[in-house]
Amino acid sequence: MKEFTRRLADWLAAAVATAAVASVVQTQINLGELSALGASIGLADRLRVTLGDLAGFGAVMTGIALVALLPAFGAGHLLARRAPSPWRAAIFALAAVVALWVAFWLMLHVIPMPAIAATRGGADHALMAATGIVGGLLYARMSAPARGPGDPRRHAALAAMLALVPALLFLVTSPGAAGRPDAVDPASYRIETVARGLERPWSLAFLPDGRMLVTEMGGRLLAIGADGASTPIATDGLPPVFQRGGTIGLMDVAPDPAFARNGLLYLTMGHGAEGANGTRLVRARLRNDRLEDVRILFSSTPKPRAGNNGGRIAFLPDGTLALTVGDGNWRREEAQNPANHLGTVVRLDRDGRAPADNPFVNRPGAAPEVYSLGHRNPQGIAVDPGTGELLLTEHGARGGDEINRIVAGKNYGWPLVTAGIDYPFGRVTPFSRLAGFEAPLLEWTPSIAPAGLAVYDGALFPEWRGDLLVPALRGRALHRVVRDGGRIVGQQTLLAELNQRLRDVKVGRDGAIYVLTDGLDARLLRLSQP
């Protein structure tokens, strides 16, 4: 028992020391990336973020170090028995470095954990792994045979303190749960299931003949009648769709505003391969439940991960088309680089060309399609029929979900400005507001994961006219964002009683609200007056 408590205390001490140094290193690397984007980070901000990360990311890093160092120190003991005693400290230090390098590699390529700046490979990855030297040397010293067994009660107390302090710091500093907005009385609306058994549906659109088009991420396009009868649309003319689970695949569908005359549909989909993929815009003609005259209009800058694709379409009042593109969830700093499409809204004419009045058309080196930049993963887009303004919802990381009003040429901040934090609980940036960047109309922290957007303009719920409807994946509700003269004044939720992830929302010509749930056995719902 004496030996066990001693080894436990030694292991915990090494993990906490490693985590503290690694947290400081990752914070400086991350702040260095932001500085390279032009952010001015003063000493006070740097110190504040470093200390905050010690409590948040440091606690997470303690868990990573505990898991990584346990087998490393086991191997170190085996090797140290056969090595001269002067090599003992070097053996444990090297074992810890190798273990951390492997742990970060696994987090990137196998688990995977969303990449933070310090673990995306190269020199930064090696520097983070090198923080294991601290833990290895400390463990070698504390576990040296010459130190003797010591007092087991003292070792037990030390172990308890080393386990509890990071956990308490994490609990004190991590963002708390926000209260859910008031719910709309479920008795005030009626829910009908129009269709069920959908496989990862992503988007919904209406045809003039009364049918609804629904995309499924696996590549299927369905036409669903008001009675729920489903007809597959032949899509063999489409280019290959890159699909990975519920992350990327066949995404949005939007009929041309003149569809009744020209029969044109616009669709977005993943394209490419595992290590180089992006968001593609395709136009096709729907004729006799078949896609014909397929034409690729736009393919975004390739990215090395399948996540954060954007992919929503909206037609602007001037006849052009806006398309959202996510930051790719790898080098998020590219959302500040107008030379590519990552983390942007692009604006195209209906043949896929950049209009001559796009804000970056005449900027050397910039992608001419870029309309706005600084977005993370915008998955909702709508034009306000009352004002013509373009509105956007986008996912933050852990918090920082936003509704934005999109203005040509403006920068919406990601990752320099956000209220969210990284998934491993480190700060993305010191700044939740910064001069020169557009502030959101609304933020959600913690995240609700907004997956779509519609402006209600129907007749069934007249008191909701002009309000925004936002389906939430993580929040498992439909948010009604109440507006007064375009100004957001409150929120309510609908459908929370279903406890379902919600993927898309559209307002039908009949004034009813149509909602797609998410997942492998999803439904198309219709909300109307009871």
Side-chain angles (χ1 to χ4, degrees):
M1 188 63 182
K2 291 180 180 180
E3 185 67 14
F4 173 78
T5 55
R6 177 187 174 185
R7 288 282 183 263
L8 179 62
D10 297 346
W11 171 50
L12 285 166
V16 169
T18 299
V21 177
S23 177
V24 172
V25 169
Q26 88 85 20
T27 302
Q28 306 319 308
I29 292 172
N30 185 50
L31 295 178
E33 294 278 1
L34 299 180
S35 297
L37 294 175
S40 177
I41 302 173
L43 180 60
D45 284 330
R46 188 174 292 272
L47 182 61
R48 174 173 57 85
V49 173
T50 301
L51 292 175
D53 282 355
L54 275 171
F57 175 76
V60 175
M61 187 63 218
T62 298
I64 296 169
L66 284 170
V67 173
L69 295 180
L70 183 60
F73 291 159
H77 279 289
L78 292 175
L79 294 171
R81 289 174 189 169
R82 297 173 175 81
S85 56
W87 288 92
R88 189 173 186 277
I91 288 171
F92 281 106
L94 180 60
V97 169
V98 171
L100 285 182
W101 193 95
V102 171
F104 291 133
W105 186 90
L106 289 172
M107 285 160 54
L108 286 177
H109 299 285
V110 178
I111 299 175
M113 182 176 76
I116 55 176
T119 61
R120 292 183 295 206
D124 293 341
H125 189 151
L127 185 59
M128 286 289 285
T131 62
I133 293 172
V134 175
L137 293 177
L138 179 62
Y139 182 85
R141 178 178 176 80
M142 293 181 69
S143 65
R147 293 180 64 87
D151 182 356
R153 289 176 298 181
R154 181 170 171 268
H155 289 146
L158 177 61
M161 182 188 71
L162 291 169
L164 288 173
V165 169
L168 289 173
L169 286 173
F170 178 80
L171 290 174
V172 169
T173 59
S174 61
R180 186 187 286 270
D182 292 338
V184 175
D185 182 0
S188 67
Y189 55 86
R190 177 186 177 204
I191 305 172
E192 302 170 74
T193 297
V194 179
R196 62 177 70 247
L198 302 172
E199 297 182 12
R200 292 197 174 102
W202 207 88
S203 179
L204 166 69
F206 301 103
L207 293 175
D209 63 10
R211 295 185 299 169
M212 293 162 279
L213 292 175
V214 172
T215 59
E216 294 180 336
M217 298 196 78
R220 204 164 57 147
L221 177 63
L222 302 174
I224 300 176
D227 61 355
S230 175
T231 302
I233 302 297
T235 58
D236 48 295
L238 289 179
V241 177
F242 174 69
Q243 194 254 339
R244 288 294 178 272
T247 302
I248 189 171
L250 183 61
M251 295 182 288
D252 211 359
V253 57
D256 189 279
F259 177 86
R261 176 172 50 82
N262 60 30
L264 293 178
L265 292 178
Y266 293 78
L267 302 104
T268 61
M269 63 192 66
H271 76 96
E274 194 69 50
N277 59 83
T279 299
R280 172 169 282 168
L281 176 68
V282 170
R283 188 180 70 193
R285 196 178 309 277
L286 179 62
R287 182 182 290 125
N288 299 324
D289 291 339
R290 186 177 196 85
L291 295 184
E292 301 177 351
D293 305 329
V294 176
R295 179 179 171 187
I296 297 172
L297 300 183
F298 169 82
S299 298
S300 69
T301 304
K303 53 190 177 60
R305 287 290 180 91
N308 290 14
N309 301 288
R312 291 288 185 190
I313 305 166
F315 293 98
L316 303 178
D318 64 1
T320 59
L321 177 150
L323 166 66
T324 69
V325 181
D327 72 345
N329 197 28
W330 181 253
R331 277 202 56 82
R332 59 196 183 197
E333 295 82 11
E334 293 302 319
Q336 289 294 318
N337 180 6
N340 64 53
H341 307 117
L342 300 179
T344 69
V345 174
V346 300
R347 176 173 171 255
L348 308 165
D349 67 21
R350 293 191 207 175
D351 290 321
R353 298 171 301 220
D357 60 346
N358 264 7
F360 293 94
V361 162
N362 296 316
R363 181 181 295 189
E369 301 89 354
V370 171
Y371 190 65
S372 65
L373 70 162
H375 304 287
R376 183 175 180 270
N377 188 17
Q379 286 195 352
I381 192 169
V383 172
D384 187 332
T387 64
E389 292 177 325
L390 183 62
L391 301 173
L392 195 76
T393 60
E394 58 184 286
H395 295 255
R398 192 180 292 278
D401 296 347
E402 298 176 352
I403 296 179
N404 285 300
R405 180 187 294 114
I406 303 303
V407 178
K410 296 297 185 179
N411 191 326
Y412 291 81
W414 176 260
L416 283 168
V417 186
T418 179
I421 61 175
D422 254 323
Y423 291 104
F425 289 91
R427 293 293 305 181
V428 175
T429 172
F431 310 114
S432 59
R433 295 288 186 276
L434 201 59
F437 298 91
E438 298 300 298
L441 303 177
L442 179 67
E443 286 177 336
W444 287 282
T445 298
S447 293
I448 66 165
L453 178 64
V455 182
Y456 188 77
D457 60 349
L460 285 187
F461 302 95
E463 67 276 17
W464 295 3
R465 288 184 65 86
D467 292 345
L468 308 181
L469 301 173
V470 181
L473 295 168
R474 187 174 185 274
R476 294 176 176 262
L478 180 65
H479 283 246
R480 174 197 170 200
V481 179
V482 183
R483 298 197 298 171
D484 181 6
R487 185 173 60 91
I488 294 173
V489 296
Q491 286 188 70
Q492 292 180 308
T493 59
L494 299 84
L495 302 179
E497 65 274 17
L498 300 182
N499 193 31
Q500 294 285 310
R501 288 164 55 90
L502 304 183
R503 173 59 72 177
D504 196 17
V505 62
K506 292 291 191 298
V507 180
R509 295 180 181 87
D510 56 0
I513 299 169
Y514 291 81
V515 178
L516 283 174
T517 67
D518 185 55
L520 289 173
D521 187 19
R523 293 186 288 165
L524 170 58
L525 306 176
R526 180 180 184 268
L527 278 64
S528 61
Q529 289 285 0

